[in-house]
Amino acid sequence: MNIKQAKQEITNTLKAYLAKDSFGNYLIPAIRQRPVLLMGPPGIGKTQIMSQIAAETGVGLVAYTITHHTRQSAIGLPFIEQRTYQGRTVSVTEYTMSEILASVYQLMEETGLQEGILFLDEINCVSETLAPMMLQFLQCKTFGNQRLPEGWLIVAAGNPPEYNRSVREFDVVTLDRVKRMDLKEDFSVWKEYAYRRGIHGAVLSYLEIQKDHFYQVETTADGLQFATARGWEDLSELITVYEALGLRVDREVVGQYIQLPRIAKAFANYLALYYKYQRTYQVAGILQGTWQPVTVSELRAAPFDEKLSILGLILTRLSESARTVRQQDALTTALHEALLAFREALSNSTPPHTILEALAQQRRESLHQDRQANRLETERRDLLQREIHCLEQYAQALCQEAGTPEAPMDRVRSWFGEEVEKRQVLGDETGEQFDHAFRFLEETFGQSQELVLFVTEMTANYDTSWFVEQFGCDAYFRHNRELLFDDTRSRICQEIAAVNAQENPL
């Protein structure tokens, strides 16, 4: 299965394991709650989906790379305990709590969350001394004489032998006690994730042209050489920051992330062309509606790969603008909820600015809990921080304006209205960019396959599809209807041909 399917199955497993009867007992007893074992190539997102699942289901997450542990840190240190059995005192070996289990209990104490996921990476690469303990943990959920609390799902991940020569095979006894999922890389699934994460346009457009470069692992005389999903995502982050700092990403820098020389060289060359196309075709001008006729003619005569790159550049810019609108929309939604709570609390004698400070504090506590639970994703962090900033500004302004005749609710509503207005302005500006992009592409390509590709990618892109759904785009809807009509017509023609073939066999 691919990583998206695995994420859904783990989510379903977690929900099933946490389901309770009317008396609060787990419907599936702990002894029957098999650990999940993910087996797949490195760098395809096994670790990434854990924080996503924790955030989406509201549970905690404790993650460990198990190869970093010794036997002592994993199961605890032995000590002598005196016990009395049938009137006789004996010395018994006990163990201090495992560092791993202690982290689970620590998270429960700090966040108040009693359920979660314990993720153990590289489970089949442990040392010889630790291997029996890890197998015992998978089978019995205990380290030494310490047990994992109920309500915690164990998810272990490992790599097949072809990717790591130090892996250990699991025996049948262990495999018969886990829920195994075998994963494979899938570019189409990763692209969906990449659009949501805002992966750099150069990476996306290059991999769209060179899909076979998305994930490769080769054994050479110089050792393993590879390009992985993790490498592309991390490189994307670096490119974005380097651009902001005015720094150059060359072949050497690419090779530090994409550790397969021929692919690193190919992408570095493409990145240089990507920047060249950006300058040559003046993408910013296209979105402002100020392109020159020569731009149209040059792109119309360009090779197909170059056309794909320009489509990727335009889509990237539209996606960035749409993402800004979406984030502003999320802020106004969050502030509206805070505004309702503020209005409700005004009925008591608490000073208005104190109410806003209390609302900001609630958001800070939510931010802290998500961070402690290891489930805080970047977008939620940014939203909470922006909301806190606005609420604190409102509180400070109310405190300074105390005694003015205007009611506090009216003042806060006016400030909130500024954020709503900002959302509308951003939406209008982005809508114009969408219109200009379609006019340029229609003038350049007419009703060609390039425009079909553009509409298809816009539909797949999370931010642009969100924008069209919320704000509309006449050109998009028009071309999408034409695309659907063409698909239907093609399907009907195929069905007619199939019927004719049956009626008139050769």
Side-chain angles (χ1 to χ4, degrees):
M1 63 176 61
N2 59 48
I3 197 69
K4 182 179 180 180
Q5 293 168 328
K7 177 186 173 184
Q8 185 59 57
E9 184 56 34
I10 295 171
T11 300
N12 293 343
T13 301
L14 180 64
K15 290 178 179 178
Y17 285 2
L18 298 185
K20 298 177 181 178
D21 63 20
S22 57
F23 297 101
N25 302 308
Y26 290 106
L27 294 178
I28 301 177
I31 194 171
R32 297 299 176 199
Q33 294 184 4
R34 291 190 172 198
V36 173
L37 177 62
L38 300 177
M39 295 297 294
I44 63 171
K46 297 189 290 292
T47 304
Q48 185 68 33
I49 64 172
M50 291 301 113
S51 60
Q52 295 174 11
I53 294 170
E56 292 167 10
T57 56
V59 302
L61 172 66
V62 173
Y64 275 96
T65 300
I66 204 64
T67 50
H68 297 167
H69 282 272
T70 64
R71 184 177 185 275
Q72 288 74 23
S73 65
I75 70 170
L77 295 171
F79 65 91
I80 304 301
E81 180 75 13
Q82 298 298 316
R83 299 277 181 85
T84 300
Y85 299 124
Q86 297 180 342
R88 181 186 173 201
T89 301
V90 296
S91 298
V92 178
T93 302
E94 293 280 2
Y95 287 87
T96 59
M97 181 172 283
S98 158
E99 178 185 327
I100 296 173
L101 293 185
S103 296
V104 171
Y105 282 102
Q106 183 68 25
L107 183 144
M108 293 167 66
E109 289 290 322
E110 292 178 348
T111 65
L113 299 171
Q114 300 303 304
E115 298 171 330
I117 301 170
L118 174 58
F119 178 65
L120 304 174
D121 201 7
E122 299 183 6
I123 190 70
N124 58 344
C125 297
V126 296
S127 64
E128 185 175 351
T129 57
L130 185 55
M133 303 300 105
M134 293 311 304
L135 296 180
Q136 177 196 10
F137 185 65
L138 290 179
Q139 294 175 21
C140 307
K141 301 182 182 177
T142 59
F143 276 131
N145 54 7
Q146 307 289 337
R147 181 174 294 276
L148 182 70
E150 283 192 335
W152 281 77
L153 166 66
I154 301 172
V155 180
N159 302 322
E162 59 266 30
Y163 298 104
N164 194 327
R165 285 173 288 188
S166 65
V167 302
R168 298 175 178 277
E169 293 290 339
F170 289 120
D171 56 34
V172 175
V173 175
T174 301
L175 291 176
D176 195 35
R177 287 173 167 80
V178 299
K179 183 174 181 176
R180 176 168 176 162
M181 302 179 193
D182 291 308
L183 308 181
K184 60 181 180 180
E185 65 276 6
D186 187 323
F187 173 68
S188 62
V189 169
W190 183 82
K191 186 172 75 169
E192 181 181 330
Y193 161 81
Y195 275 140
R196 182 67 188 265
R197 290 281 295 174
I199 296 297
H200 195 279
V203 172
L204 278 170
S205 56
Y206 173 77
L207 292 177
E208 191 63 43
I209 297 168
Q210 301 285 355
K211 292 183 177 66
D212 60 322
H213 289 183
F214 166 61
Y215 196 101
Q216 287 193 26
V217 178
E218 297 179 359
T219 303
T220 70
D222 297 323
L224 279 178
Q225 296 180 343
F226 49 88
T228 69
R230 181 191 295 122
W232 288 114
E233 183 172 358
D234 292 347
L235 177 60
S236 166
E237 296 276 358
L238 186 83
I239 293 173
T240 301
V241 176
Y242 265 39
E243 287 177 350
L245 297 175
L247 301 176
R248 179 170 172 264
V249 177
D250 57 19
R251 180 181 170 185
E252 292 298 320
V253 174
V254 173
Q256 294 161 13
Y257 291 82
I258 307 303
Q259 299 182 47
L260 207 163
R262 60 182 175 80
I263 294 181
K265 178 181 178 182
F267 177 72
N269 292 339
Y270 176 82
L271 186 61
L273 284 174
Y274 184 85
Y275 290 137
K276 177 185 175 183
Y277 296 154
Q278 199 169 35
R279 295 188 301 269
T280 301
Y281 290 99
Q282 295 293 309
V283 174
I286 291 173
L287 297 184
Q288 293 171 2
T290 59
W291 63 85
Q292 300 297 320
V294 66
T295 304
V296 172
S297 58
E298 286 180 355
L299 183 56
R300 189 180 294 150
F304 187 65
D305 285 0
E306 187 170 329
K307 293 176 181 177
L308 284 181
S309 298
I310 302 307
L311 292 177
L313 275 165
I314 294 172
L315 184 63
T316 297
R317 290 296 185 89
L318 291 177
S319 180
E320 290 170 354
S321 297
R323 188 179 307 120
T324 301
V325 180
R326 181 171 60 80
Q327 291 169 346
Q328 181 65 22
D329 178 79
L331 177 62
T332 56
T333 300
L335 287 175
H336 182 257
E337 293 177 2
L339 194 66
L340 294 176
F342 175 70
R343 184 178 62 185
E344 184 71 22
L346 278 176
S347 58
N348 59 41
S349 58
T350 306
H353 71 276
T354 304
I355 298 173
L356 290 170
E357 289 170 352
L359 290 171
Q361 180 60 29
Q362 290 175 7
R363 274 59 176 177
R364 275 193 292 269
E365 290 171 357
S366 179
L367 183 66
H368 176 74
Q369 184 184 59
D370 282 353
R371 184 175 284 118
Q372 292 299 112
N374 300 308
R375 64 186 189 193
L376 183 64
E377 296 196 300
T378 303
E379 190 161 314
R380 174 166 169 77
R381 180 203 66 193
D382 293 346
L383 173 59
L384 283 170
Q385 289 177 339
R386 292 180 68 194
E387 186 183 3
I388 291 167
H389 177 71
C390 287
L391 291 173
E392 288 177 337
Q393 280 192 321
Y394 297 169
Q396 184 178 6
L398 278 184
C399 188
Q400 293 173 349
E401 296 179 7
T404 58
E406 191 170 1
M409 187 64 205
D410 292 336
R411 293 297 294 137
V412 174
R413 188 183 289 112
S414 68
W415 296 326
F416 171 71
E418 294 174 6
E419 297 296 338
V420 175
E421 178 64 23
K422 182 178 179 182
R423 171 191 178 276
Q424 188 60 51
V425 169
L426 288 172
D428 292 343
E429 292 174 350
T430 302
E432 290 178 1
Q433 292 180 6
F434 273 63
D435 292 340
H436 294 322
F438 271 105
R439 281 202 305 111
F440 172 76
L441 294 176
E442 288 167 348
E443 183 179 339
T444 304
F445 300 122
Q447 300 299 319
S448 63
Q449 62 175 336
E450 288 84 1
L451 203 53
V452 171
L453 284 172
F454 184 74
V455 172
T456 302
E457 289 303 306
M458 182 176 286
T459 304
N461 185 296
Y462 180 81
D463 291 305
T464 52
S465 62
W466 175 90
F467 181 85
V468 170
E469 181 181 356
Q470 298 296 319
F471 289 82
C473 177
D474 291 341
Y476 170 85
F477 290 129
R478 184 175 68 254
H479 287 288
N480 205 30
R481 281 195 299 270
E482 292 169 356
L483 178 59
L484 290 173
F485 175 75
D486 288 343
D487 289 344
T488 302
R489 183 172 59 186
S490 176
R491 177 177 55 79
I492 292 172
C493 290
Q494 290 174 1
E495 291 175 355
I496 292 172
V499 171
N500 289 337
Q502 291 176 356
E503 294 178 349
N504 304 289
L506 294 177

